Amino acid sequence: MNEERARLIKKLEEKAKEIRYKTVCLAYKAGKAHTGPSLSTTDILVALYYYKMNINPKNPKWVERDKFILSKGHGCVSLYVILAELGYYPAEDNLKLRKVDGIVQGHPDMTKTPGIEFTTGSLGNGIGAAVGMAIAAKIDKLKSKVYVLLGDGEIQEGIVWEAVASAKHYKLDNLIAIVDNNNFQSCGALPDICDFYPFREKWQSFGWNVIEIDGHDFNEILPALDLAERSKNPCVIIAKTIKGKGVSFMENNNAWHQKTYTKEEYEQACLELSLLRR
Amino acid sequence: MNSCGNTRKAFGEELLNLVQEGEDIIAVCADTRDSMRLDLLAEKFSNRVINVGIAEQNMMMVAAGIASTGKIAFAATYAMLNSMRALEQVRTFVAYPKLNVKIVSGLSGLTGSIEGVTHQCIEDLAIMRSIPNMVVLASADYASTKVIVREAAEYTGPVYIRIGRDDTPDIFDGSYSFEIGKANKLQDGKDLCMISTGLILDHAIKAVKILQNRGFSIRLLEMPSIKPIDKEAIIKAAQDIGKLVTVEEHTILGGLGGAVAEVLTDNIPTRLTRLGINDVFTESGEYIDLLNKYGLSVENIVRQSEKLILE
């Protein structure tokens, strides 16, 4: 790996640390928010927004842009931090997360929040919308890609597989799904609730290309995104992640799926994330 | 008038016309390409008809995704699938973001007839009317379906359109006028105001003729726009006449009758008889036999109207 690549990865790692820190700050200010599910996706979001996607925050409706849908809409805290960082809207607007009259809702809202491509939150639905966007891009002969991030619990929803099947039928090589495989859902660990493994075989049997990676290692995330872009079939990246990644007492602790912080917990989380950043 | 036309064919033909005129329309269906007459569009513009297979929820999401890119999406399947199977997708991902999706429902009301309750839909108007941002329309015949489909495409935002299945009697011609939120006064009268919507308008017209022959003077309003509803026309009928009857191929709860009752209650409490299916499930049967059995025969409309007039 050349030096340039190493510098890029270092830069992205630093950015991810910063986003994690700000995610915890924002979740704390919101009162009750989905910290755990937001921290597991942070590195993937950073790779998409700071490396992969062709976007222009100054012109959010630029026709040729790549599009991102957070199908697991509850993991939106990191996404809001990133959108504000990139200048889609002022960072102050995030302070009204989940508050009345705010532009950032409890789950992503395409009519209220600049940069949100599609409204999500009720699980399973984002990938169908992504299929529609990918079909529209093909009809318009656009080169743009559609990325959709799903939770691993979310793919228990039947509608996901309706969309997966239609993506294959319409040969949507411009559609890339990413599964945030943190192995937890609201009630507990995936295998204990409704064991939906194995993932690879399921997606493959629907005609998708499958790439499996460590969803916290940019050395794996970046090549996977580059490879997915060149896939001749719809492609899914199954990203092994850790719910609550970056804060010791949140990692793999499902209590942090959605939880209000005590002051001590908040301070401890900030301390850990600050130390990470040094 | 004995000629007949098909509302599904009208939909397919008008959609093709709109695309030929350059409208950026994509139609999405769920194994209903031929039955919703999207074959007419597909023959000439194959890439403008997306068939997702038997997967109505995905159909609605794909339509929403397409509409989010600035195109006009039409989602076309049967009324009970559009209004129930895909209801959450309609509510949260079409209506809430106010996306430009036109939901076209065949087999509405009792037109699913011989298939039985599973394929009939007498609840869709009530369901759709409860959703913010949703425009709810019902067409009465072939010619009016064409006009309504065209107007729905012109309007920016979500629209639900109720159409039928088999051929139905022609009521209107190409001069049919339609505006979202407006009633059509088909004739004036002073003893009773009858308000109807959709295919059952045919029975309402026949009932009015019989009532006239018996010496009554009837105002007849066609209400193709269930939401928004023409409040002024309803209030005016209440002021001018003071007795109203609604006729709809739908449960009497929450549809046209419910909407008219709400307007009257809020503005000018007035005697109203709601005719429709009386909060029961129906059964398999020929369309006309079902209308007769479940309270929508011409005779019953006449009988209930006369009763109200003579009160």
Side-chain angles (χ1 to χ4, degrees), chain A residues 67 105 109-112 117-120 122 125 128-129 131-133 135-136 139-140 159 162-163 166 169-170, chain B residues 24 26 47-52 55-58 61-62 64-66 68-69 71 88-89 92-93 96-97 99:
Chain A
K67 292 177 177 174
Q105 297 291 295
D109 186 319
M110 66 191 285
T111 64
K112 292 193 168 73
E117 295 284 359
F118 201 85
T119 297
T120 53
S122 159
N125 294 291
V131 168
M133 287 179 186
I135 287 172
I139 289 168
D140 290 341
I159 187 177
E162 295 183 2
S166 60
H169 180 81
Y170 282 97
Chain B
D24 193 3
I26 308 291
N47 69 340
R48 294 207 167 253
V49 176
I50 304 296
N51 189 348
V52 299
E56 292 77 18
Q57 297 171 330
N58 188 43
M61 289 313 301
V62 169
I66 288 169
S68 78
T69 70
K71 296 179 185 303
E88 191 214 358
Q89 286 70 33
T92 308
F93 304 106
Y96 175 45
L99 286 171

Side-chain angles (χ1 to χ4, degrees), chain A residues 35-48:
Chain A
T35 306
S38 295
L39 293 178
S40 67
T41 63
T42 306
D43 300 303
I44 296 160
L45 292 178
V46 165
L48 285 170

